[in-house]
Amino acid sequence: MAGEELINVPLSALVGVETVPQTFRKQQKQITVQGLLASYLASTDIIDTTYAPWASTWPTPTDFRESLPICWSQIGMTALTEELLDDHNNLDLPFPPAIERQANRDSDPKLHPSGTLGLLQEQKRKLRTDWRMIKETLPKTSFEKYVHFWFIVNTRTFYFENPNVKTHPPRHDCIVMCPFIDLFNHDDTGCNVQYGLDGYSVTSDKAYRRLDAGDELFVSYGQHTNDFLLVEYGFVLGSNRWDSTPVDHLLMPYLVSTPAEEKLRRAGYLGNYTLDPNGVCYRTEVAVRTQILSDDEWSDLVAGRDLERPEDEINAQALIANQILDPFLQEAKNVLEWLRISSGLPDGPSQVLIRRWEQIQALLQQVATLATVRRRD
């Protein structure tokens, strides 16, 4: 039945900040909790003793090299060396725009004025920051060993605020490793995972009529896009109701160095444009309309006084098609042709990228079809 407890892991079995000896913690005061846990696992024998049965289920360095985009380049899969930290290491691969922001490739930073890094660059930034601390405090720890455990912690932790502690660290540091529950795979919907005074538990999300040997139960890691799942965990879902893709690299060239740029910046609508199965986001709709509405009309729109004429909607949808959907579809087509013919990647990473770009292509086609139907109505 729904709400039935399937698993409970007591607080004493969780691996978090309190698990790490205080003397070890004091050595690394400025490091993230992820970096701390990785260094603790990498520099002690605890995985060969206390955690040995659990650690035997963790991914190997080869598993990560084959599944995580940070380890890929056109010449193959990169070894777990400090070369991974180089932002130019992956530039020869056609990652989707969410994974590697176009602005990181272009000379004009205005094409992404919000300053947001792509998912891959953000991951490298975090790893660089933690590794810098480890080199100072634990100079004998090899990068290969450390990054292996950094990936393990990154892919196998859960959000956690210790109910026995009054003050908590920043949200990104509220994490623990949780034996057994980390064996659950992710889906966009699944069993409920929660924590409390009695530990971490998994409860059923619905009544299961029958479960046979080999049947799989899932949990949800959160409302994540497939690009996020690929960078952080090394997989994409076949169907993901939370999927979306940014379109800044397509729309921003029509806005930068124009009067619209400053208008959008003042109103808080410059950048961070996305597209999901329902169409482009509201921010994108607002930005596109700087090209078809007068200043007063656009101000009324932003203020919620929407007096838009039918022809304005038609013109806006035409711009969305011409400036976003059509060129993005062509980009997807070109990338897929390249990946299928001459990517140079091993088969595994190549097939994952093909699958992801096919998903983006299908998403764009769905939105284009939806827009056509709306124009007819």
Side-chain angles (χ1 to χ4, degrees):
M1 64 179 181
E4 179 182 1
E5 185 173 81
L6 305 175
I7 300 169
N8 180 269
V9 177
L11 290 179
S12 59
L14 303 181
V15 178
V17 173
E18 290 77 16
T19 311
V20 181
Q22 191 171 14
T23 53
F24 192 93
R25 276 183 271 164
K26 286 183 177 180
Q27 288 182 288
Q28 304 173 55
K29 291 183 179 180
Q30 305 303 316
I31 202 169
T32 64
V33 172
Q34 177 176 337
L36 175 68
L37 294 179
S39 63
Y40 177 58
L41 295 174
S43 58
T44 67
D45 64 355
I46 196 165
I47 65 164
D48 298 319
T49 55
T50 306
Y51 299 151
W54 181 25
S56 68
T57 70
W58 294 346
T60 66
T62 299
D63 293 330
F64 286 128
R65 289 180 62 228
E66 293 176 349
S67 63
L68 294 180
I70 192 174
C71 301
W72 302 347
S73 71
Q74 192 174 337
I75 60 174
M77 293 177 293
T78 305
L80 299 186
T81 66
E82 290 190 59
E83 185 181 353
L84 296 182
L85 303 177
D86 186 352
D87 277 336
H88 299 285
N89 187 47
N90 316 90
L91 287 181
D92 52 1
L93 290 178
F95 286 118
I99 293 179
E100 193 163 68
R101 295 288 190 185
Q102 191 71 27
N104 290 313
R105 302 169 183 250
D106 296 330
S107 58
D108 187 357
K110 285 187 175 182
L111 292 181
H112 198 73
S114 66
T116 302
L117 297 174
L119 293 167
L120 190 55
Q121 280 74 27
E122 178 62 20
Q123 186 181 61
K124 290 183 179 185
R125 183 195 66 77
K126 293 177 182 177
L127 178 54
R128 272 195 298 264
T129 301
D130 286 343
W131 176 238
R132 192 178 303 120
M133 175 64 66
I134 295 304
K135 286 202 295 185
E136 294 177 3
T137 59
L138 298 169
K140 294 183 179 180
T141 301
S142 72
F143 180 82
E144 181 177 11
K145 186 174 185 179
Y146 177 73
V147 77
H148 176 217
F149 286 105
W150 196 89
F151 288 150
I152 286 173
V153 176
N154 191 57
T155 57
R156 310 186 83 76
T157 48
F158 295 80
Y159 185 81
F160 179 75
E161 293 182 357
N162 192 329
N164 297 318
V165 176
K166 291 183 178 180
T167 59
H168 300 287
R171 185 175 177 83
H172 67 269
D173 276 338
C174 293
I175 58 173
V176 291
M177 298 180 70
C178 188
F180 195 79
I181 292 180
D182 64 359
L183 295 176
F184 278 84
N185 285 324
H186 166 79
D187 205 348
D188 59 0
T189 185
C191 296
N192 301 310
V193 183
Q194 56 194 13
Y195 62 87
L197 290 172
D198 59 344
Y200 239 106
S201 64
V202 177
T203 57
S204 57
D205 59 322
K206 60 184 178 181
Y208 291 91
R209 299 176 64 180
R210 176 179 176 179
L211 289 175
D212 296 321
D215 289 345
E216 184 171 8
L217 295 179
F218 296 89
V219 299
S220 174
Y221 300 170
Q223 298 177 10
H224 299 310
T225 68
N226 272 354
D227 292 315
F228 181 91
L229 294 173
L230 178 55
V231 170
E232 295 295 324
Y233 301 106
F235 66 87
V236 296
L237 294 177
S239 176
N240 183 359
R241 60 177 171 153
W242 308 116
D243 206 14
S244 66
T245 183
V247 294
D248 299 66
H249 69 295
L250 298 163
L251 185 56
M252 286 301 298
Y254 293 97
L255 305 175
V256 296
S257 302
T258 73
E261 180 181 3
E262 186 56 31
K263 280 199 305 184
L264 289 163
R265 180 179 288 108
R266 288 200 308 267
Y269 283 96
L270 185 63
N272 194 21
Y273 305 127
T274 61
L275 177 148
D276 65 25
N278 296 313
V280 297
C281 68
Y282 180 70
R283 294 179 63 85
T284 306
E285 296 276 8
V286 170
V288 165
R289 280 163 174 75
T290 60
Q291 302 178 62
I292 61 176
L293 299 178
S294 68
D295 287 347
D296 289 341
E297 290 170 338
W298 188 81
S299 296
D300 285 340
L301 173 69
V302 173
R305 300 184 293 272
D306 189 357
L307 304 174
E308 192 171 65
R309 300 174 294 269
E311 57 267 28
D312 295 333
E313 172 65 18
I314 293 173
N315 291 335
Q317 293 307 314
L319 284 177
I320 290 170
N322 293 333
Q323 297 178 358
I324 298 174
L325 298 179
D326 292 346
F328 208 167
L329 278 166
Q330 186 60 51
E331 178 184 357
K333 178 183 177 182
N334 293 343
V335 169
L336 284 168
E337 288 178 353
W338 183 83
L339 284 169
R340 289 167 179 152
I341 296 173
S342 59
S343 72
L345 270 175
D347 187 61
S350 179
Q351 290 305 310
V352 171
L353 283 178
I354 288 173
R355 184 183 187 192
R356 181 58 189 141
W357 274 103
E358 286 177 340
Q359 291 174 337
I360 293 174
Q361 185 180 55
L363 174 62
L364 293 166
Q365 290 169 340
Q366 178 179 336
V367 171
T369 300
L370 183 61
T372 300
V373 172
R374 287 173 176 169
R375 285 198 296 270
R376 289 174 181 170
D377 293 344

